[in-house]
Amino acid sequence: MNVNRSFKIGILLGQLLILGSCGNAPKEEEKLNQTKEINAVDILGNPDYQAISYGGYRGISREEQPTIAQLKEDMKIMAAMGIKVLRTYNVQPNLPHASNILAAIKELKNEDADFEMYVMLGAWIDCKNAWTGLEPDHNIESEANAGEIARAVALANKYPDIVKVIAVGNEAMVKWAASYYVQPAVILKWVNHLQGLKKKGKLSKDLWITSSDNFASWGGGDYIYHTPDLTKLLKAVDYVSLHTYPMHDTHYNAVFWGTLSFEKSLTTHEKMDAAMGRARDYAKSQYRSVVEYMTVVGVDKPVHIGETGWASVSNGHFGPDGSRATDEYKSAKFYHLMRDWTNKEGISCFYFEAFDERWKDAANKLGSENHFGLFTLDGKAKYALWDQVDAGVFKGVTRGGKPITKTYNGDKKELMKDVLFPPLK
């Protein structure tokens, strides 16, 4: 055989082998990625894993529990809009909402191997005499807390592929939660307990433990929160989950809120956008205040947003006779500003919330607490999501058997008639 020809054939075969191996590499990598277990460290701060707070209640009382079928409807809606992480709030024995959510996700995963949804599981924490009519004792914890933690542990162990975070308490340390707040030592006790279970192998070592509370409770506000127990808690959690609500502070601390005198000549949209930009900056300042306090006490850990949101309706403090903060235009603007900021900075944002929930202020249909959802109770997408409706992302999914449509029948002119001008500062 001609030596040169043999040499050329050898080169050609070598090139084909290289090309073949390169062609297989992505497939092998894809296979590895599919089998890799996703944990909190992979999820939190990752913009590919958008987060949201979720309550599936559709009635005027939590006694009316959503069915598994209804929960699966909601999971499909949220998955369609890119949500992959949910936050729940309690595992109380008479309210199987959280356990049913986990069961619903498990069913969806069994039906479709590509379905992906994870949970930050909340365990509710109270002080002694909370919600009883008796005087709350904020220095002693409720006897019910131990059972709440035990149920959270059981669910985390039952669904380790879904539960990736346990949050001990929700706004359980902030002083204005006068009906039930506890001292940081109580939260610290249960965080240490859960961290101990991880060390003993009784909980996944990859499960992250936190508490989700107002920014002030994490040291970003009044000095009364700056206690040795708070420092110990900051060192004990895997990350900090803070809440920031500029909407509430349009009434309670309106330093940032309103139309400035030199903005009077701006268009309606420009006035709204300027006001909402300042609201976003106010949230940023609260986030920074917590990070700065952590630095002072020598703690360097991730900080994510466990709650923030903006209601679309209010007949109280935030409506036409109040701070004039609530309408669908402003709530949409805040949603997009917060998503843009947190995605860019690698901060998870459990936006509050996915769907309106009527039970929160059952006696007042127009109360703001009922209207924080990105969707109405009957499954209409509010202005924040109109572009996703137009893009067809909700094609084939329903709520209550009805397709996802837009509020105001998609008429922006009609929507703008309900927009409230912030007061002139």
Side-chain angles (χ1 to χ4, degrees):
M1 181 182 287
N2 184 291
V3 175
N4 287 335
R5 186 182 174 198
S6 299
F7 180 71
K8 289 177 181 177
I9 291 172
I11 291 175
L12 179 60
L13 288 171
Q15 288 174 336
L16 288 171
L17 286 169
I18 291 169
L19 287 171
S21 63
C22 289
N24 288 332
K27 293 180 181 178
E28 291 301 321
E29 184 180 348
E30 183 180 342
K31 186 176 179 181
L32 285 171
N33 287 338
Q34 287 175 348
T35 57
K36 178 182 181 293
E37 184 178 353
I38 301 297
N39 292 306
V41 68
D42 309 301
I43 291 169
L44 295 175
N46 186 341
D48 292 333
Y49 290 85
Q50 293 293 291
I52 207 160
S53 295
Y54 171 67
Y57 295 104
R58 305 185 187 195
I60 62 171
S61 167
R62 287 194 294 173
E63 292 180 4
E64 187 180 335
Q65 287 284 315
T67 65
I68 297 289
Q70 288 174 326
L71 295 171
K72 288 170 72 174
E73 262 194 330
D74 288 353
M75 299 300 133
K76 291 177 181 179
I77 292 170
M78 290 183 286
M81 61 182 284
I83 299 298
K84 292 186 179 179
V85 195
L86 307 180
R87 182 183 169 202
T88 64
Y89 288 82
N90 63 74
V91 285
Q92 293 167 0
N94 60 328
L95 300 173
H97 187 252
S99 58
N100 285 344
I101 287 171
L102 294 170
I105 294 172
K106 191 68 174 179
E107 285 189 18
L108 288 168
K109 284 166 64 73
N110 290 338
E111 293 165 10
D112 179 1
D114 293 327
F115 186 82
E116 193 175 15
M117 193 70 76
Y118 305 99
V119 170
M120 171 181 173
L121 186 68
W124 193 266
I125 297 295
D126 282 327
C127 70
K128 186 176 179 62
N129 296 334
W131 318 107
T132 63
L134 301 174
E135 184 70 22
D137 188 337
H138 300 294
N139 295 308
I140 301 176
E141 69 169 316
S142 168
E143 297 87 346
N145 292 347
E148 187 77 353
I149 296 295
R151 287 186 293 274
V153 169
L155 286 174
N157 283 328
K158 184 177 181 180
Y159 299 98
D161 57 324
I162 301 172
V163 178
K164 300 300 174 182
V165 179
I166 291 180
V168 179
N170 174 67
E171 294 178 348
M173 297 183 290
V174 68
K175 307 299 184 188
W176 48 251
S179 300
Y180 67 96
Y181 81 81
V182 297
Q183 303 300 339
V186 173
I187 304 298
L188 175 63
K189 166 190 168 181
W190 291 115
V191 168
N192 283 338
H193 170 72
L194 295 174
Q195 298 289 26
L197 292 180
K198 286 164 60 175
K199 290 178 181 177
K200 295 174 183 176
K202 296 182 179 180
L203 270 176
S204 169
K205 62 180 176 56
D206 296 313
L207 183 74
W208 275 19
I209 311 300
T210 189
S211 181
S212 206
D213 218 309
N214 182 267
F215 83 101
S217 304
W218 287 116
D222 196 294
Y223 71 92
I224 62 173
Y225 293 98
H226 298 175
T227 65
D229 282 337
L230 177 60
T231 300
K232 292 175 184 176
L233 179 60
L234 285 165
K235 292 178 178 179
V237 294
D238 292 304
Y239 77 98
V240 168
S241 175
L242 74 83
H243 297 187
T244 174
Y245 275 101
M247 192 209 84
H248 287 144
D249 278 352
T250 63
H251 171 77
Y252 291 105
N253 185 29
V255 292
F256 66 95
W257 185 242
T259 301
L260 303 178
S261 58
F262 68 84
E263 296 174 339
K264 286 191 292 184
S265 61
L266 297 179
T267 66
T268 298
H269 285 81
E270 288 170 338
K271 288 175 182 176
M272 298 299 108
D273 291 353
M276 297 313 297
R278 285 190 290 273
R280 183 269 323 276
D281 291 344
Y282 183 75
K284 283 185 175 183
S285 72
Q286 293 188 335
Y287 180 92
R288 285 196 303 269
S289 69
V290 172
V291 174
E292 289 166 1
Y293 180 72
M294 291 169 64
T295 301
V296 168
V297 297
V299 176
D300 180 14
K301 288 184 177 176
V303 180
H304 299 290
I305 296 177
E307 264 190 40
T308 193
W310 199 282
S312 57
V313 173
S314 172
N315 61 359
H317 290 323
F318 317 105
D321 299 323
S323 63
R324 303 175 64 81
T326 50
D327 53 64
E328 282 197 33
Y329 183 87
K330 294 195 202 76
S331 64
K333 192 68 181 180
F334 186 72
Y335 175 74
H336 290 299
L337 286 169
M338 291 299 288
R339 284 293 190 209
D340 289 346
W341 165 51
T342 54
N343 287 343
K344 181 180 178 181
E345 295 299 322
I347 301 167
S348 280
C349 178
F350 287 81
Y351 198 82
F352 190 86
E353 63 179 325
F355 300 90
D356 285 349
E357 295 182 81
R358 178 69 195 283
W359 69 270
K360 297 195 170 192
D361 193 356
N364 179 15
K365 188 175 182 179
L366 298 179
S368 62
E369 291 300 307
N370 299 330
H371 297 279
F372 273 89
L374 296 173
F375 295 90
T376 63
L377 274 173
D378 58 357
K380 288 186 173 65
K382 295 185 186 179
Y383 184 55
L385 301 179
W386 281 14
D387 59 340
Q388 294 198 32
V389 177
D390 289 337
V393 301
F394 301 115
K395 186 177 180 180
V397 298
T398 61
R399 194 172 214 230
K402 298 178 182 178
I404 304 302
T405 58
K406 300 178 186 176
T407 53
Y408 293 91
N409 292 316
D411 189 334
K412 188 175 178 181
K413 288 183 179 178
E414 287 300 310
L415 178 147
M416 293 305 292
K417 290 178 181 178
D418 288 336
V419 170
L420 304 170
F421 282 100
L424 184 66
K425 288 180 74 69

